[in-house]
Amino acid sequence: MSKQFAVFGDLFEEAIRAGLTAIQTQHPGFYYQEAARYAIARKQLCRGLCPAELKYPASDPLAEADKMEYYGQRPWRQGHQSLEAPSVQKEREGIQALQYRECQVDHSWLVIPLLSSAIAQFKKYKSPRMKRYLVVQMGEEYYHAKDYSKALALLGRVTWEYRSERWWSILTNILQLSLRCAYLVMSFEEYVTVSIELMGRYAQVPREEKIRIQMNLHKIFQDEVPEPEHGCEHDSVEKGRALWTTISAGGKSRSPIVVEMNSITAFVECKACFTADSFLCESPVTVKLGLHSFAPMPIRFSQLSVRFSNEAYNQFGIVVDENAVDDPIESTSYLKPGQTLWHTFQFIVEQDDVDCNLSIAGVDLVLGSLEGCCATLRWTDGGGDAIVHPFATQVHRKKVALNADFSVVSWDVLPSNYSTHISPREANLDVQLLQKGPALVNEFYLMTVSITNTEVAQISNVRTSISVVTAVADAVATAQPNTFLYEDIDLPCSQLISMPLLEELKPNQKVDNVAYVRCVDSGARLMCIQVSYQIPIDISGKMSMCNCMKEITSSIEVCEPFNITVSLTNMKFEKIEKVQLGEAFLSRMEVKCLSPWPVALQGSSLNLAKLVKFADEESLSQLTDVSLKQNDCAVEFRCLLSSGQTPSEIDIGSYSIEWRRVQNGAAVPFASTTVSLPTVEAEPIPLSLHVDMPAYGHMKAVLPLTYLLHNQTPFVQDMEIAMESSEAFMLSGHKQLFFRILPDSQHILRYNLFPLFPGYVTLPRLRVNMVRYSGVLDQLLSSVVPTHIFIKPFEKKVSA
């Protein structure tokens, strides 16, 4: 049957390679497993039916077995058709020969290849538990085949899974088989590791067996040969004892070994924790460490050491027992069954670790003699039972305070606190940020950091730094890229500035430091001031320099200094949305002071774009040396001219004001505020008209009036004009005229007006019509041609 299942498994595997689809519940691994099961059953039947002391008969009844016609035929029954044996003696000798031949077969080497094929298939189709089950079977077969090294290696691969899933009965059987293999091959490290786990509380072995294992472990540490394990064959035991005797006599067993305790369930458990989540740098750090023994008998360890993340503190966590291993005298290194042994360690941290985290890196427990044979039991972090009680289940445990009396608390609910924070000493300084807010955008804002020593002793190495951060979000403060700090106005800016070092500061002494901040936009700024210093303090009767730091935050409001409104008007001061190419227009800038402090203006400037220029050769600022208070307004005009030939949107440029606070005086440089001028649509016109006339006239005095017409097109234009009459003036000149203007040429019209009425009177209206663009010019020229003028009356003569 075993051969049949193996052949069918091979056929199934060939079919899969040819394209057949297999699934997790139907694949060749099940047939290889059945083949191995029948092979194991064959081995068990052989052991039950075939005595080991059998000898092959002298008559050799199986001599003609290979010449039989059919499989299963017996040579001594050849030619006999009855169920009864022809000869009882020959039948007995034939059965004895078959039993002898079956005893010569090593059945384990028939089972192992089948199990190996089954494991490969279950691994391929992702069945981990079946794979582990078969690996254990293969390890047992290697043990029966007396290949103890391979058996030990295979069993070691699956103990972790059975341990993490808490299959204690299965794990115990595997460990017992591993212990026998380790003894027979004299694997010192494996023997000690398995023995430590079989003595634990989760190993399901009798107490007498645990005592025997502990006694063997004690013999090993005394450089003695341990007693053989139960269930081993006699010849293998003799070979194993010879190995232990040879190596022990040669001193090779004295090599120390390290057992990783976090990966096994040992007879001793360790829990180490800090007694607080944080410690001040001026107070000792306290660590409590507990050792709980589940061994059947008392045991003594030679050395206990705690390892920290900073190796400089390892010297404070060492306990050494000078007594012999077998000395029954109780001490701080003597563990009794079911009891917890507590140790407390204290030390002072170094100043370099202030404001840092300190953690327990591990715990080492040495069993045996430090000068002879020993084993180091090593826990990472603070120990605990992470395999049996993973983190997910520890969350629901009852919480115990770190400063509680651990001696009255159950071992399983003890807290695990492997890390602590070293907090700096509280600084006794009075630090203030003196300012006169609010600050204005782009100004050099003066700040004063006032530091007063309120310590009882003199402090030294006082360092002050200033930085700007936003509001803290998610415990992370980010720097402001639009805020710049200056230690001095002449020095470059930075996001963090440091004040000059102050070597010493006596008690109640005060010192002031000055700095500047410049913000390029409005809003609140959070200033962070850090002051660090050193002060001598008494720690456990020893004077040492302690680093302290005081940190404060202060908010500064930043507001805009001005509200600048820019608009465009024509030459008659009327607001416009469009400008004509080649025609002058006005840019109106209204500056309203928003600063609560008086502001002095140095002047203003226009930075024009490429397609815009000043109408005059020289354009001076109208706001030079002007002072503004809150809500004061200042207005200035600049006459501009657009250029170009095609309609488009043009960017006029930007407007800048140079200013500073009046109270700062010349100590602080001028700041600059810049705004962008609006983008306006520029359109071309076929004809431009300019008027030349006095600003006012006199009664019954000639008032000259000149019109200059300029053809902006590349064509000859036919023009017709008409001057309307007015009751306020007598007119001299063409009232109606027809003429032509060449491309890019001018035509001048001159009129003499004679005012008849005083006051603000209406001028005679000039109507211009271009034949090619009929009806277009009236609307375009209405914004250019003046409509009114002021006429002064006669001067009154006062009689004497």
Side-chain angles (χ1 to χ4, degrees):
M1 292 298 294
S2 174
K3 187 65 175 178
Q4 291 179 15
F5 276 106
V7 170
F8 193 82
D10 293 338
L11 294 176
F12 198 171
E13 193 171 2
E14 288 291 337
I16 293 173
R17 283 196 289 266
L20 182 67
T21 303
I23 59 177
Q24 192 177 33
T25 57
Q26 295 178 2
H27 58 78
F30 290 101
Y31 296 95
Y32 289 128
Q33 181 190 6
E34 282 298 305
R37 188 172 68 85
Y38 278 104
I40 294 173
R42 174 186 173 184
K43 180 181 65 174
Q44 292 173 349
L45 289 174
C46 176
R47 290 182 178 180
L49 299 176
C50 304
E53 61 277 1
L54 280 178
K55 294 183 179 180
Y56 194 78
S59 60
D60 192 9
L62 300 178
E64 303 294 331
D66 296 336
K67 299 179 181 180
M68 295 293 101
E69 183 177 1
Y70 300 103
Y71 179 79
Q73 285 184 311
R74 302 292 185 246
W76 60 88
R77 285 196 175 196
Q78 183 69 20
H80 186 75
Q81 303 296 328
S82 175
L83 294 176
E84 297 295 330
S87 172
V88 176
Q89 180 64 25
K90 288 184 177 181
E91 184 76 14
R92 185 181 300 111
E93 290 178 353
I95 293 175
Q96 182 178 351
L98 290 174
Q99 289 177 334
Y100 178 81
R101 180 175 290 184
E102 183 70 16
C103 288
Q104 304 306 310
V105 177
D106 194 343
H107 298 87
S108 295
W109 294 109
L110 299 177
V111 177
I112 290 173
L114 297 173
L115 289 175
S116 178
S117 299
I119 290 171
Q121 294 296 324
F122 281 107
K123 181 179 180 181
K124 177 181 178 180
Y125 294 100
K126 296 179 173 55
S127 301
R129 289 191 175 180
M130 283 297 299
K131 180 179 75 85
R132 292 199 298 267
Y133 168 67
L134 296 177
V135 168
V136 174
Q137 280 190 319
M138 183 183 288
E140 292 175 348
E141 291 302 323
Y142 272 116
Y143 174 77
H144 294 314
K146 298 184 179 181
D147 193 345
Y148 303 116
S149 298
K150 288 186 178 179
L152 186 62
L154 280 174
L155 296 175
R157 294 179 185 177
V158 296
T159 52
W160 172 265
E161 285 82 2
Y162 287 113
R163 190 182 295 116
S164 60
E165 294 182 4
R166 283 167 271 186
W167 295 94
W168 302 126
S169 59
I170 300 176
L171 178 64
T172 301
N173 292 331
I174 294 174
L175 291 175
Q176 288 178 325
L177 184 58
S178 299
L179 186 64
R180 290 198 290 269
C181 294
Y183 174 82
L184 295 175
V185 298
M186 213 299 291
S187 178
F188 178 64
E189 183 175 354
E190 292 293 337
Y191 189 85
V192 173
T193 303
V194 176
S195 298
I196 289 174
E197 191 162 9
L198 282 174
M199 291 165 54
R201 55 172 166 171
Y202 300 107
Q204 297 180 356
V205 296
R207 173 180 170 80
E208 293 76 13
E209 180 67 12
K210 290 186 178 182
I211 293 175
R212 187 189 67 81
I213 294 173
Q214 185 173 353
M215 294 300 298
N216 277 345
L217 194 64
H218 180 74
K219 288 182 178 180
I220 289 177
F221 293 140
Q222 293 293 321
D223 282 338
E224 298 178 5
V225 178
E227 295 295 327
E229 299 300 319
H230 299 310
C232 297
E233 296 185 4
H234 179 71
D235 55 344
S236 299
V237 169
E238 293 300 326
K239 293 179 182 179
R241 183 183 288 113
L243 291 174
W244 283 97
T245 304
T246 302
I247 296 179
S248 177
K252 296 182 180 180
S253 61
R254 294 180 180 273
S255 301
I257 62 172
V258 177
V259 181
E260 297 295 337
M261 302 295 285
N262 290 87
S263 59
I264 65 174
T265 54
F267 74 92
V268 58
E269 292 183 4
C270 168
K271 290 186 179 181
C273 66
F274 292 97
T275 57
D277 292 327
S278 63
F279 293 90
L280 291 175
C281 64
E282 55 185 332
S283 60
V285 175
T286 304
V287 177
K288 285 188 176 181
L289 186 145
L291 296 173
H292 192 88
S293 175
F294 296 95
M297 297 189 303
I299 193 169
R300 183 187 301 278
F301 61 88
S302 303
Q303 179 176 299
L304 172 67
S305 59
V306 183
R307 293 177 285 108
F308 297 93
S309 55
N310 187 344
E311 297 180 357
Y313 306 128
N314 291 350
Q315 56 179 323
F316 303 105
I318 298 178
V319 176
V320 179
D321 192 351
E322 301 295 341
N323 298 316
V325 176
D326 55 350
D327 196 336
I329 299 177
E330 296 185 10
S331 64
T332 57
S333 304
Y334 195 71
L335 280 173
K336 293 183 178 180
Q339 295 184 4
T340 304
L341 184 62
W342 287 102
H343 292 274
T344 302
F345 305 99
Q346 288 187 337
F347 54 89
I348 303 297
V349 297
E350 300 175 354
Q351 291 303 312
D352 294 339
D353 291 330
V354 176
D355 203 18
C356 297
N357 290 331
L358 180 64
S359 60
I360 300 174
V363 179
D364 291 344
L365 183 67
V366 179
L367 292 178
S369 175
L370 292 174
E371 293 79 14
C373 180
C374 65
T376 301
L377 312 186
R378 176 164 295 173
W379 290 269
T380 57
D381 297 330
D385 49 359
I387 294 178
V388 182
H389 302 288
F391 179 76
T393 61
Q394 293 184 16
V395 175
H396 304 288
R397 290 189 183 185
K398 179 181 177 182
K399 293 186 177 180
V400 180
L402 296 175
N403 55 358
D405 185 4
F406 291 169
S407 60
V408 297
V409 179
S410 174
W411 174 259
D412 290 332
V413 298
L414 286 174
S416 299
N417 183 33
Y418 310 145
S419 179
T420 189
H421 183 74
I422 308 302
S423 302
R425 176 182 176 273
E426 184 178 358
N428 293 323
L429 285 184
D430 183 15
V431 181
Q432 295 180 350
L433 181 64
L434 306 179
Q435 54 168 321
K436 293 182 180 180
L440 303 178
V441 174
N442 280 330
E443 77 162 333
F444 286 89
Y445 182 62
L446 178 66
M447 303 179 300
T448 302
V449 179
S450 178
I451 303 173
T452 304
N453 181 14
T454 56
E455 297 275 9
V456 296
Q458 177 177 298
I459 62 177
S460 59
N461 296 328
V462 183
R463 303 176 186 272
T464 306
S465 63
I466 305 176
S467 60
V468 184
V469 295
T470 60
V472 177
D474 298 332
V476 178
T478 56
Q480 285 274 23
N482 52 1
T483 305
F484 307 97
L485 295 172
Y486 298 83
E487 185 179 350
D488 197 355
I489 296 176
D490 299 330
L491 298 178
C493 62
S494 175
Q495 291 288 321
L496 173 67
I497 60 173
S498 300
M499 300 298 179
L501 174 66
L502 187 62
E503 294 184 356
E504 61 180 26
L505 192 63
K506 298 180 180 179
N508 298 323
Q509 186 179 353
K510 180 180 178 182
V511 65
D512 293 335
N513 293 314
V514 175
Y516 297 89
V517 61
R518 186 171 65 88
C519 307
V520 298
D521 59 2
S522 59
R525 298 296 191 277
L526 190 63
M527 309 299 298
C528 179
I529 296 95
Q530 292 183 344
V531 181
S532 62
Y533 62 93
Q534 291 182 335
I535 183 173
I537 59 173
D538 185 3
I539 302 178
S540 301
K542 180 181 179 181
M543 297 299 296
S544 63
M545 297 300 293
C546 180
N547 297 325
C548 301
M549 185 179 69
K550 182 66 174 288
E551 179 177 322
I552 67 167
T553 56
S554 181
S555 179
I556 297 178
E557 291 293 332
V558 183
C559 65
E560 294 285 349
F562 307 104
N563 181 18
I564 302 177
T565 304
V566 182
S567 61
L568 302 179
T569 66
N570 57 21
M571 300 304 293
K572 297 167 65 175
F573 299 101
E574 297 172 347
K575 283 191 176 182
I576 57 175
E577 300 296 333
K578 300 180 181 180
V579 298
Q580 285 77 38
L581 293 174
E583 294 292 325
F585 63 93
L586 297 177
S587 176
R588 180 181 184 274
M589 283 71 68
E590 180 180 337
V591 181
K592 183 179 180 180
C593 181
L594 303 179
S595 169
W597 320 104
V599 175
L601 305 183
Q602 185 188 30
S604 62
S605 61
L606 271 174
N607 299 317
L608 299 179
K610 186 181 295 184
L611 297 179
V612 183
K613 62 182 179 179
F614 292 107
D616 301 328
E617 294 182 359
E618 186 177 2
S619 179
L620 300 178
S621 172
Q622 302 165 19
L623 301 181
T624 304
D625 297 332
V626 174
S627 295
L628 298 178
K629 297 180 181 179
Q630 191 173 17
N631 296 325
D632 286 353
C633 289
V635 180
E636 71 168 326
F637 287 85
R638 298 291 183 95
C639 187
L640 306 177
L641 194 65
S642 62
S643 60
Q645 300 296 329
T646 58
S648 62
E649 284 193 353
I650 60 174
D651 182 14
I652 299 177
S654 60
Y655 177 69
S656 300
I657 300 177
E658 303 292 329
W659 59 274
R660 66 184 172 195
R661 294 193 193 191
V662 174
Q663 64 185 13
N664 288 343
V668 178
F670 285 97
S672 177
T673 299
T674 303
V675 296
S676 298
L677 298 178
T679 301
V680 66
E681 183 179 351
E683 58 181 4
I685 56 175
L687 181 73
S688 64
L689 188 148
H690 298 278
V691 181
D692 185 11
M693 61 180 291
Y696 56 90
H698 296 274
M699 277 290 295
K700 296 182 179 181
V702 177
L703 178 65
L705 180 60
T706 302
Y707 294 96
L708 177 63
L709 287 76
H710 186 194
N711 182 6
Q712 304 264 6
T713 68
F715 308 103
V716 177
Q717 301 293 340
D718 293 326
M719 307 293 301
E720 59 182 32
I721 63 168
M723 178 66 79
E724 296 180 352
S725 60
S726 174
E727 295 180 353
F729 294 93
M730 293 176 63
L731 175 65
S732 172
H734 296 285
K735 294 192 68 175
Q736 190 172 7
L737 180 64
F738 296 90
F739 58 91
R740 287 182 175 180
I741 305 179
L742 296 176
D744 198 22
S745 298
Q746 298 178 351
H747 186 83
I748 300 175
L749 298 175
R750 292 185 175 90
Y751 293 89
N752 290 325
L753 303 181
F754 191 76
L756 302 178
F757 300 104
Y760 197 62
V761 298
T762 304
L763 288 169
R765 183 178 181 184
L766 177 68
R767 291 187 176 277
V768 181
N769 184 31
M770 185 178 288
V771 177
R772 186 183 294 269
Y773 303 97
S774 179
V776 177
L777 295 180
D778 282 342
Q779 184 180 358
L780 295 176
L781 299 180
S782 62
S783 61
V784 179
V785 178
T787 58
H788 294 76
I789 191 172
F790 184 77
I791 303 301
K792 288 185 177 181
F794 291 114
E795 183 180 356
K796 291 184 179 181
K797 296 182 180 180
V798 181
S799 58

